[in-house]
Amino acid sequence: MKSGRTTTGLWRLLSLPLLLFFLLPLVALLLRAPFDRIIESVMREQVRSAIGLSFVTTLISAAIIVVFGTPVAYLLAVRHGRIEKLIDTVIDLPTVLPPSVAGIALLLAFGRRGLLGPAFTVLGVDIAFTQVAVVLAQTFVAAPFYIKSAAIAFAGIEVDLTQAASLDGANNWDIFRHIMAPLAWAGLVSGLVMSWARALGEFGATILFAGNLQGVTQTMPLAIYIGFEANLDTAVTLSVILMGLSFSALLMAKALLNRAG
Amino acid sequence: MPYLSKFVSSYRLALLSIIACAATLTACSGTTTAPGATATSVPASGAPATIKVFAAASLQDAFSEIGRNYEAANPGVKVAFNFAGSQQLAQQIAQVAPADVFASANKAQMTVAIQSGRVVSGTEKVFVRNRLVVVVPRDNPAKLQTLQDLGKPGLKLVLAAKEVPVGQYALDYLTKTLKDSSFTPGYREAVLKNVVSYEDSVKSVLTKVTLGEADGGIVYTTDIGGDAAAKVTRIDIPDALNTVATYPIAALKDSTQAAAATGFVDYVLSDAGQKVLAGYGFITAPKDAK
């Protein structure tokens, strides 16, 4: 018992350097935050439009991620063939690629001169420099977080349950709706929150693919980047807001998982 | 669940390590910035002195060459560059980034460095000048022929952000057209309405135009030398409307390599340095320029 406590203490001590390394920059940011002028900062046109734009685009991205990511997650959970392993690897790719690579790739695929450019031109659709581009960039980098989490949640459901349901005459859609989705919901929601937080922080792919125009494509991370050069107060205010949102999102995701577990 | 999560974690680990290795490799090859330097003999005095030069993005090609020449002429000195928008560099310098020389694309950002106390006022020297030019993609999808065409509705134009020197110069150009009878009074607003993105450096503006994603943009004449020349068509801005960009350079007060840093500044101002800059289309500075 006593030795157990000592080892815990030791591990905590060993965890300290990295924890401090994480916390120090965040503390520095909070110390520099113009809290006395924060209302004034938030009321600035540029800050308000960046916050609004970030919310709208990330919510759309999250919706797209659920609709198109859930089937992929389900597939990865129930099948483990060679093709699924390949899909799994493809899904992993955006999480390790530099976002700037994602931005260039998206531009070369969906831009006016991109692979699909001529098709879009025929339809009269232009994606680069629009909010559609912002959403695509966010979805590209953020979707893997949801898919991974959802796949693990689906895979955690006992096979007996689905087999029993199947014997009782339930079809695949019934099984998904009445067994898989309810049992996996904590994993789904926490994965979605993680995805949303990642989308909220998306910068590199957005600035390359969607450009930077206040009120149109200038999301919070872009306003922080440009604001850093023009007005440090703007940049710090937005950084603190972004940090608060991300921290709450992560706490929420973890609380959900703990409740389910 | 155990199968999948185990598979996921071990597999992801393997994938991550492979990618990390690859990234390290490229990073390593990336840091050997000066290919010419490796050939020069290691000086007898031991470790080579490295000077860090923070230079405007528009200087990238010319300064890379000057850096190689300077290294060749000064065995034992290595030049490492940090190319970015001048406004970024000025901020980095103000936040005490280690730097020995700052070459800005306008006086405003040099002033930021001076106000931060890291450049002594009066030590900065104008070493080169540059001009603005409108560029459109080679196949010119929007069929832009004249400066006036930039005001046609529905275009996708790309400028640099106003914090970037070339962005401010572009705005200056638009303001000057207000007093020019060959432009309609609404020209400036019409052009600004067509701007779809304010980019973070002149190179980003050029890239969006060469890729054909934008119908047009405003860059420096020096940006469209070399490879870019074949990918864009230029529309010249007459002298009366053109803002001539002035580039100041200075060695930083707190440089740990003061001799090599001032040596580099002197080299840029020397005939040899000016000749390289002229080769990239810069307007060289008169000898007594301050």
Side-chain angles (χ1 to χ4, degrees), chain B residues 7 10 65 85 94 96 113 116 122 128-129 156 210 259 262 267 277 284:
Chain B
F7 169 74
S10 66
E65 189 177 331
V96 210
S116 76
V128 86
R129 295 172 202 281
K156 284 177 184 286
T210 50
T262 33
Y267 187 81
L277 287 158
T284 51

Side-chain angles (χ1 to χ4, degrees), chain A residues 112-113 126 155 212 225 229, chain B residues 88 139 197-198 200 213 215:
Chain A
R112 195 152 72 166
R113 299 288 176 76
D126 222 341
N212 168 51
Y225 177 65
E229 288 141 13
Chain B
Q88 270 177 43
D139 60 350
S197 179
Y198 290 96
D200 63 330
E213 294 301 332
D215 295 320

Side-chain angles (χ1 to χ4, degrees), chain A residues 120-183:
Chain A
F120 283 124
T121 308
V122 169
L123 296 170
V125 183
D126 222 341
I127 291 179
F129 305 118
T130 65
Q131 279 159 15
V132 177
V134 177
V135 169
L136 288 184
Q138 288 170 352
T139 305
F140 192 88
V141 298
F145 292 88
Y146 171 74
I147 294 173
K148 287 296 184 177
S149 173
I152 289 170
F154 284 140
I157 294 165
E158 297 292 331
V159 181
D160 298 356
L161 277 175
T162 51
Q163 275 175 350
S166 170
L167 283 175
D168 288 343
N171 62 27
N172 280 340
W173 172 241
D174 288 333
I175 291 174
F176 177 81
R177 213 166 57 123
H178 296 297
I179 298 175
M180 300 297 261
L183 286 175

Side-chain angles (χ1 to χ4, degrees), chain A:
Chain A
M1 200 65 160
K2 187 167 181 271
S3 84
R5 262 211 305 275
T6 346
T7 29
T8 309
L10 180 68
W11 286 116
R12 283 191 179 150
L13 196 69
L14 289 174
S15 309
L16 215 55
L18 197 64
L19 268 178
L20 282 177
F21 174 66
F22 283 160
L23 283 175
L24 212 62
L26 302 181
V27 171
L29 194 62
L30 286 174
L31 287 177
R32 181 64 181 71
F35 283 113
D36 48 331
R37 300 188 303 277
I38 204 153
I39 302 294
E40 184 191 328
S41 270
V42 170
M43 290 312 285
R44 290 191 50 204
E45 175 74 32
Q46 187 185 14
V47 175
R48 269 187 307 150
S49 67
I51 294 173
L53 185 68
S54 271
F55 266 98
V56 171
T57 53
T58 52
L59 288 179
I60 296 172
S61 299
I64 291 174
I65 289 169
V66 172
V67 170
F68 293 98
T70 310
V72 181
Y74 193 71
L75 176 71
L76 291 180
V78 297
R79 291 265 175 280
H80 304 117
R82 204 171 282 173
I83 294 185
E84 282 73 29
K85 281 178 195 169
L86 194 67
I87 295 174
D88 189 55
T89 311
V90 171
I91 302 282
D92 271 332
L93 209 50
T95 54
V96 293
L97 280 179
S100 50
V101 172
I104 294 169
L106 285 167
L107 201 55
L108 295 180
F110 299 103
R112 195 152 72 166
R113 299 288 176 76
L115 280 180
L116 298 180
F120 283 124
T121 308
V122 169
L123 296 170
V125 183
D126 222 341
I127 291 179
F129 305 118
T130 65
Q131 279 159 15
V132 177
V134 177
V135 169
L136 288 184
Q138 288 170 352
T139 305
F140 192 88
V141 298
F145 292 88
Y146 171 74
I147 294 173
K148 287 296 184 177
S149 173
I152 289 170
F154 284 140
I157 294 165
E158 297 292 331
V159 181
D160 298 356
L161 277 175
T162 51
Q163 275 175 350
S166 170
L167 283 175
D168 288 343
N171 62 27
N172 280 340
W173 172 241
D174 288 333
I175 291 174
F176 177 81
R177 213 166 57 123
H178 296 297
I179 298 175
M180 300 297 261
L183 286 175
W185 77 275
L188 301 190
V189 174
S190 71
L192 186 60
V193 173
M194 290 284 288
S195 264
W196 175 75
R198 177 66 189 87
L200 197 63
E202 204 326 286
F203 168 72
T206 310
I207 199 162
L208 270 160
F209 181 41
N212 168 51
L213 189 63
Q214 190 186 321
V216 180
T217 57
Q218 190 182 80
T219 55
M220 286 167 74
L222 270 65
I224 290 170
Y225 177 65
I226 298 292
F228 172 64
E229 288 141 13
N231 183 336
L232 196 58
D233 275 358
T234 304
V236 175
T237 304
L238 280 170
S239 301
V240 169
I241 294 171
L242 206 54
M243 198 170 87
L245 284 174
S246 306
F247 191 67
S248 325
L250 293 176
L251 274 184
M252 196 176 122
K254 284 188 201 307
L256 271 172
L257 277 183
N258 284 341
R259 238 175 71 180

